[in-house]
Amino acid sequence: MNAPALHAIHILARPEVPPLPPYNAGLSSEAVRARYGATEIARLASNENPFGASPAVARALAGLALHVGTYPDAQCTALRAAIAARTGVPAEAIAVGNGSEDILQMLCQAFLSPGDRVLAQRPAFGLHEIYPRMMGARVELLELTPALGFDVDAWCQALARGPKIAMLANPSNPVGCMFSAGDFARLLDATPQQTLLVVDEAYYEYALHAEGYPDVLALLRGRPMPWIVLRTFSKAWGLAGLRVGYGLASDAALVQLLDRVRTPFNVNQAAQAAALAAWGDVGFMQRGVAETVRLRGVLAQRLATLPVRMAPSAANFLFIDIGRPNGPVNEALLARGLIVKPWKEPGFEHFIRVSVGTEADNARFADALAGILEGGQ
């Protein structure tokens, strides 16, 4: 497109849109093979589950080709009923989306107007900032403590000032730190009734293994403010390629407002069938999560022998300060077929986030990082 035409497009666009950064989805395996000639690829950038989905998912998808000519259930009736039965949240207070980020977008579209204030963490899951800014909201980003944890006092003070929406990721992505049950109770006490509390628990199943992790639903029930807890099938349930997330809301009225802005068939047939099948095989998920938590500990012990600093993690990844610009280190890792995520937010250009993979992939990464940091690129 020529420059005058590009300029005209920017004039037509809403003023909030051109300054938005693109979401950093990272490189695909195919791109790394083509660019670097690597033959053995370890995908350690997107917090995917290396153990995949339950075999029940493959069985559920096997005959689906016969039905792709019809629209999916727009209300995700069976999946919402299954989630309601296990969580105790009424089905009418459950939202389902094309990944939990779909629900994040709905929340911003339904509740934010230009000038509204949104509270989030820095560094953040990018869409906690991008979607509010898309709607013209002002985003206040709170800083980590020097120990790379949440600053609970700063959160309580900021919540008391009454943001329209507060985005609390617990555990944090990309850091991995978490609010304990006591911390979370303090946050709730500080939150005004007019603030919508969005608790992003994308790594909930992993965090259940961490001592002191809060039962957020139990703490939220009976609180006067509106709230929604976001969870996903992408991580622990191994369905990242099919995109299913869900939200457990304070009441049905909140979900009804999200229904006004969501696309009519936002969760496709395959995704609904796969999520329902995975949900029915809790044991497979729990075994994979337990092994990932074990491997995270092994990897952290190995990395502790290197000149790096790691944030505490209750998730399936580690956030690592490598003490130097992450760009060259990332390039050296890519050349070895190791895909991690170099963080780009100002102030965090020395950090990489590495997902916990298989035992072999974790060992490859640790050995490669050791060699790179020692100057053997």
Side-chain angles (χ1 to χ4, degrees), residues 260-315:
R260 301 296 190 274
V261 298
R262 72 173 174 88
T263 56
F265 302 99
N266 61 324
V267 183
N268 67 62
Q269 274 189 356
Q272 290 187 43
L276 195 57
W279 193 251
D281 192 354
V282 176
F284 183 91
M285 178 276 291
Q286 290 176 336
R287 288 189 294 274
V289 166
E291 179 64 3
T292 297
V293 170
R294 184 189 74 81
L295 290 173
R296 185 189 68 205
V298 173
L299 178 59
Q301 286 183 336
R302 172 69 176 90
L303 295 176
T305 66
L306 305 181
V308 301
R309 180 172 66 124
M310 285 175 289
S313 179

Side-chain angles (χ1 to χ4, degrees), residues 90-171:
E92 60 269 21
I94 295 174
V96 184
N98 182 36
S100 56
E101 64 262 39
D102 184 28
I103 304 174
L104 280 171
Q105 184 173 21
M106 291 184 231
L107 287 162
C108 293
Q109 290 172 328
F111 292 101
L112 291 178
S113 299
D116 285 340
R117 189 166 65 91
V118 173
L119 192 60
Q121 181 70 47
R122 195 181 83 90
F125 175 50
L127 299 179
H128 287 179
E129 183 177 2
I130 291 172
Y131 283 158
R133 292 195 190 281
M134 176 184 73
M135 301 307 299
R138 297 175 292 116
V139 181
E140 178 183 352
L141 297 172
L142 298 181
E143 301 294 334
L144 296 168
T145 65
L148 302 176
F150 288 120
D151 188 334
V152 181
D153 290 337
W155 267 95
C156 289
Q157 292 165 14
L159 285 165
R161 295 194 292 272
K164 184 73 168 289
I165 293 179
M167 304 270 195
L168 283 80
N170 197 36

